[in-house]
Amino acid sequence: MRLYLSSDATLDGGDTQLGDEIPVPAIAGGGVVTVSRIVPIPDTTLLGPYYVIAQVNATNTTLEADSPAQGNDVKAMLTPLTVGPDLVVIAATPSPRTTAAGTTVAVTNTVRNAGGQATGAFDIGIYVSSNNVYDGGAQLLATRRVTAGLAPGAVSTAITSVTLPDTLTGGPYFVVVRADSAGEIGEANENNNSVAAGATVVVP
């Protein structure tokens, strides 16, 4: 058996073999065998999502009923693994939700490192926007620093007080929380760093 690292779920010539050949014991007809192996991820691997693909009878030493096609000898993992850090916002909650321009809002914000590598220090930015996405129209209200970074699977949560601009007119606005707002951390996925909380109504 061989294991490969691939950027997609299809085995091809561009994939990287992980470790050496894995011996598989003899299997009786209708039998099942499970093989476990720890393999290194090459340190030259770029950040991003990858699939581990298993291929049995990789050297064609066993004649199979479906030879030479052997279309069922390759299987990719269902969910890709993440190489590198990946910061995601898992909570963004302003309080109160009805307020006035120029007042203070407490924003509960939680960020998780969903990747497989620790991060260095980074900032979390809190913005106000007239829509529920982070874009050029979002106005930065405050940042907080995660000075120790985050290990894989670790979270950082805080309640950050922000002051809404006194120039806001009445209507609905969104508080947007963005991890790594200064772009200091190279991540496996740079497109999942922001979450907008439910609308906060500003009363004129």
Side-chain angles (χ1 to χ4, degrees):
M1 177 187 292
R2 292 176 181 172
L3 297 177
Y4 295 88
L5 188 69
S6 176
S7 59
D8 55 38
T10 302
L11 180 63
D12 58 38
D15 298 332
T16 302
Q17 184 174 341
L18 301 175
D20 300 324
E21 302 281 339
I22 302 172
V24 178
I27 309 172
V32 176
V33 64
T34 299
V35 178
S36 179
R37 178 62 60 93
I38 296 175
V39 292
I41 302 296
D43 58 11
T44 55
T45 303
L46 300 177
L47 303 181
Y50 291 87
Y51 293 84
V52 174
I53 300 175
Q55 182 185 31
V56 298
N57 197 20
T59 56
N60 296 315
T61 55
T62 300
L63 181 64
E64 301 182 52
D66 63 344
S67 294
Q70 298 172 205
N72 59 356
D73 285 6
V74 175
K75 183 73 172 180
M77 60 194 303
L78 294 177
T79 303
L81 59 84
T82 301
V83 175
D86 185 19
L87 296 172
V88 294
V89 179
I90 59 176
T93 307
S95 180
R97 287 190 177 274
T98 300
T99 187
T103 59
T104 298
V105 174
V107 181
T108 301
N109 54 97
T110 302
V111 172
R112 178 175 181 265
N113 181 4
Q117 179 181 333
T119 74
F122 62 92
D123 286 338
I124 298 171
I126 300 174
Y127 303 77
V128 65
S129 175
S130 58
N131 57 57
N132 62 349
V133 296
Y134 172 80
D135 57 21
Q139 183 174 348
L140 180 64
L141 302 179
T143 61
R144 72 174 178 91
R145 187 77 170 165
V146 182
T147 55
L150 288 178
V155 301
S156 173
T157 188
I159 299 175
T160 306
S161 293
V162 299
T163 301
L164 298 177
D166 57 14
T167 55
L168 293 182
T169 57
Y173 292 86
F174 294 86
V175 172
V176 180
V177 176
R178 181 169 177 82
D180 192 27
S181 56
E184 300 170 90
I185 306 299
E187 299 181 55
N189 185 352
E190 298 284 2
N191 298 316
N192 61 353
N193 285 14
S194 302
V195 164
T200 295
V201 177
V202 173
V203 179

